[in-house]
Amino acid sequence: MDGIKRARQQVLEAGREMLKKGLVAATWGNISCRVEGENCIAITPSGMEYDILTEEDIVVVDMQGKVVSGHRRPSIEVPLHLHLYEKREDIGAIVHTHSTYATALACAHKHISPIVEELAQVAGGDVRVAKYALPGSQLLATNVVTALRDRYAVLLANHGMIGVAKNLKEALKVCEIVEKGAKITILCNVIGQPVPISFDDVQTMRRTYVTDYGQRET
Ligand SMILES: [Zn+2]
C-alpha cells in the first residue's frame, strides 16, 4: 500500500473515531496527517459528515496548500495545519475538535493546568489558549503555533481545541484526555481551586510517557 492510500485510511478512521467519541458534532473539526515519504499531508474535506466519508473524499495537499490528489475541497483550516507541520517537525498528525468542556474553557479564555497525571503526560504541561482569530485565517495559524510552542495540545479561543502527536491514534488520545482534563478543571472550580502538578513532576511524567510507557516490543 502506498503512503497516500495509508494516510487517507488513517484520516478516515480517525474521523469516525472522533465522531464516535463525541468530540465533534456534524461536520465540524478537522483531521490531518503527514504522508509518509512524500512532502504532503492528507486532510479531511470541508463540510462533510464524518460517517459518510470515503477514502476518496480525503484530500491530499502539498506544503504550499495545493491539492495534489482528491476531488473535494479541503478543510478551510489547511493554513493552520500546514503552519503547525512547518514549525513542528516532531508532529505527524493533527486533530482539531470542538468538544464541549474544552470549548467551554476556550470561550472563557481559561487555560487548563496539568492537574491530572494523564493530562500532564500527553499534553506536556498546561494547555494554553491561542488568541482569537477567524477560522481559516493565517492569523489563527500564527496564534495557534505561538500558544502551542512545545506542547501537544492547545485551546482555540471561542472555538475549540487541537491535539498534535506523532500519529493520529495518539493525537486523538490527546484530544480525549484534554476534554477529560477540561471537565475536571470545571468541576474542581465548583468545589474549590484546582491544584496543578509541579513543573518538575510534569516534565518527568512526560519523559517517562514518551520513553517507557506501555508495552515495549522486545
Ligand atoms: Zn473548528
Side-chain angles (χ1 to χ4, degrees):
M1 192 194 302
D2 67 11
I4 286 184
K5 188 172 172 60
R6 195 163 44 239
R8 277 192 160 125
Q9 281 181 355
Q10 286 167 352
V11 169
L12 193 65
E13 204 176 301
R16 288 179 183 150
E17 277 294 298
M18 180 168 76
L19 190 67
K20 204 161 77 186
K21 289 175 190 296
L23 298 170
V24 285
T27 63
W28 277 270
N30 37 73
I31 293 171
S32 75
C33 70
R34 288 190 201 266
V35 176
E36 210 183 317
E38 310 270 348
N39 205 20
C40 52
I41 64 164
I43 189 162
T44 42
S46 180
M48 288 184 73
E49 306 268 351
Y50 291 98
D51 50 359
I52 59 154
L53 287 184
T54 66
E55 214 177 288
E56 292 71 39
D57 293 320
I58 308 301
V59 190
V60 179
V61 300
D62 67 16
M63 301 321 271
Q64 282 71 48
K66 187 170 155 273
V67 174
V68 292
S69 179
H71 55 285
R72 300 287 184 190
R73 274 176 52 214
S75 162
I76 61 158
E77 298 295 1
V78 162
L80 167 61
H81 288 250
L82 290 178
H83 198 47
L84 278 165
Y85 288 120
E86 186 196 334
K87 296 292 177 188
R88 289 278 301 267
E89 280 186 6
D90 61 318
I91 291 175
I94 298 169
V95 176
H96 165 50
T97 74
H98 291 182
S99 59
T100 309
Y101 290 93
T103 306
L105 288 174
C107 290
H109 295 201
K110 300 266 189 209
H111 77 289
I112 309 174
S113 296
I115 51 169
V116 277
E117 290 180 338
E118 64 265 47
L119 181 65
Q121 288 169 335
V122 302
D126 62 337
V127 182
R128 306 182 190 103
V129 186
K131 281 188 192 153
Y132 184 79
L134 285 171
S137 65
Q138 193 60 49
L139 182 59
L140 180 64
T142 308
N143 292 352
V144 165
V145 166
T146 304
L148 183 70
R149 297 202 284 282
D150 53 344
R151 300 281 150 77
Y152 297 86
V154 65
L155 299 177
L156 276 56
N158 309 87
H159 183 163
M161 63 90 45
I162 284 177
V164 301
K166 58 183 188 310
N167 58 47
L168 274 173
K169 212 171 155 193
E170 181 71 22
L172 204 55
K173 184 156 81 176
V174 172
C175 293
E176 260 190 288
I177 301 292
V178 167
E179 176 63 0
K180 184 185 165 199
K183 190 173 180 179
I184 293 171
T185 300
I186 292 168
L187 288 172
C188 267
N189 277 299
V190 172
I191 56 174
Q193 195 69 27
V195 181
I197 299 166
S198 76
F199 179 79
D200 285 349
D201 286 345
V202 169
Q203 297 303 306
T204 305
M205 271 191 284
R206 171 72 196 168
R207 225 168 20 243
T208 309
Y209 177 70
V210 171
T211 55
D212 293 330
Y213 185 72
Q215 304 297 312
R216 297 285 137 190
E217 285 176 18
T218 51

